[in-house]
């Protein structure tokens, strides 16, 4: 595996965070920053949740337990239909080892891949120019995919789709309506399976 050397600008950008956490993970923010910036296996996104104890299913998860920190990591990936970014076992292991060496004694650490909520969206559109119908449909598909993508610079406000946030139909309708060539969004339906049962 070849490693691209860090640029001076990127290294300088990490200085304020380093001065805050001093290469030790104490707060949830420290864990997220260290996981994201680790030199062994850099990840595109890391979210740390204090008190989150993973289970075999979502219904078995326990929350607000003292002394536990769970860090969800995502590798870099470009938006693609039905291809959510998932870390490899090697990535999870490397991030765990890196964080484990910087974790305070008595802290129980988990490094995890998030569980995604699959969704299907059906959209009925009117287009400005019927000759561009297919291009507009494809642009709407790409706009919705980018809006729901979990990694920056996509997602809500360019920070990736927020972990645990529900999807609202009106937000999707707005995103579809902003695409050039869309005259009107007639119908938008959202389908998903409840994963908590």
């Amino acid at each position: 595996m070849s490693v691209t050397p860090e640029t001076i600008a990127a290294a300088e950008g990490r200085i304020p965070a380093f001065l805050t956490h001093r290469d030790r993970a104490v707060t949830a923010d420290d864990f997220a920053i260290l996981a994201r910036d680790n030199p062994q296996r850099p990840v595109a996104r890391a979210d740390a949740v204090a008190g989150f104890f993973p289970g075999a299913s979502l219904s078995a998860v326990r929350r607000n337990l003292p002394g536990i920190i769970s860090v969800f990591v995502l590798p870099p990936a470009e938006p693609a239909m039905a291809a959510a970014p998932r870390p490899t076992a090697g990535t999870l292991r490397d991030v765990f080892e890196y964080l484990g060496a910087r974790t305070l004694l008595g802290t129980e650490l988990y490094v995890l891949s998030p569980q995604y909520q699959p969704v299907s969206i059906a959209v009925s559109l009117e287009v400005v120019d019927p000759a561009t119908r297919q291009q507009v449909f494809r642009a709407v598909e790409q706009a919705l995919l980018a809006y729901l993508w979990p990694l920056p610079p996509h997602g809500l406000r360019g920070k990736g789709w927020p972990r645990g946030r529900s999807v609202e139909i009106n937000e999707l309708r707005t995103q579809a309506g902003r695409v050039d060539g869309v005259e009107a969004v007639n119908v938008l339906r959202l389908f998903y399976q409840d994963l908590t049962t």
Side-chain angles (χ1 to χ4, degrees):
M1 176 176 102
S2 66
V3 178
T4 305
E6 186 175 34
T7 65
I8 293 174
E12 288 175 345
R14 289 190 304 109
I15 290 172
F18 178 80
L19 292 175
T20 300
H21 59 68
R22 301 275 185 195
D23 207 33
R24 300 299 296 165
V26 178
T27 68
D29 284 344
D30 294 343
F31 278 94
I33 291 167
L34 285 167
R36 191 176 56 247
D37 294 342
N38 85 83
Q40 292 177 323
R41 191 77 71 117
V43 295
R45 178 173 172 180
D47 294 334
V49 184
F52 183 95
F53 182 77
S57 67
L58 287 178
S59 59
V61 165
R62 296 189 344 214
R63 299 174 193 278
N64 303 319
L65 296 178
I68 295 176
I69 189 90
S70 288
V71 183
F72 295 89
V73 295
L74 295 174
E78 289 301 315
M81 200 66 69
R86 295 184 187 282
T88 64
T91 297
L92 295 176
R93 183 189 62 245
D94 288 350
V95 173
F96 178 85
E97 289 174 0
Y98 184 78
L99 291 177
R102 290 154 179 79
T103 300
L104 298 178
L105 191 64
T107 302
E108 192 171 336
L109 172 65
Y110 296 92
V111 177
L112 307 165
S113 174
Q115 181 174 1
Y116 291 99
Q117 170 67 67
V119 296
S120 296
I121 302 166
V123 186
S124 171
L125 303 171
E126 289 180 34
V127 297
V128 174
D129 179 1
T132 64
R133 178 182 312 274
Q134 291 306 315
Q135 294 94 321
V136 172
F137 285 1
R138 179 75 178 140
V140 168
E141 179 181 274
Q142 291 303 308
L144 293 175
L145 177 61
Y147 185 68
L148 295 172
W149 195 245
L151 299 176
H154 305 289
L156 197 62
R157 291 183 280 285
K159 296 181 178 179
W161 188 260
R163 183 185 43 78
R165 187 179 190 278
S166 26
V167 178
E168 300 294 332
I169 289 177
N170 287 338
E171 293 175 348
L172 299 178
R173 183 185 298 273
T174 300
Q175 294 302 312
R178 289 180 177 162
V179 172
D180 286 342
V182 173
E183 180 74 29
V185 179
N186 295 329
V187 178
L188 190 145
R189 291 197 175 106
L190 176 66
F191 304 93
Y192 61 92
Q193 177 184 0
D194 186 357
L195 299 178
T196 60
T197 57

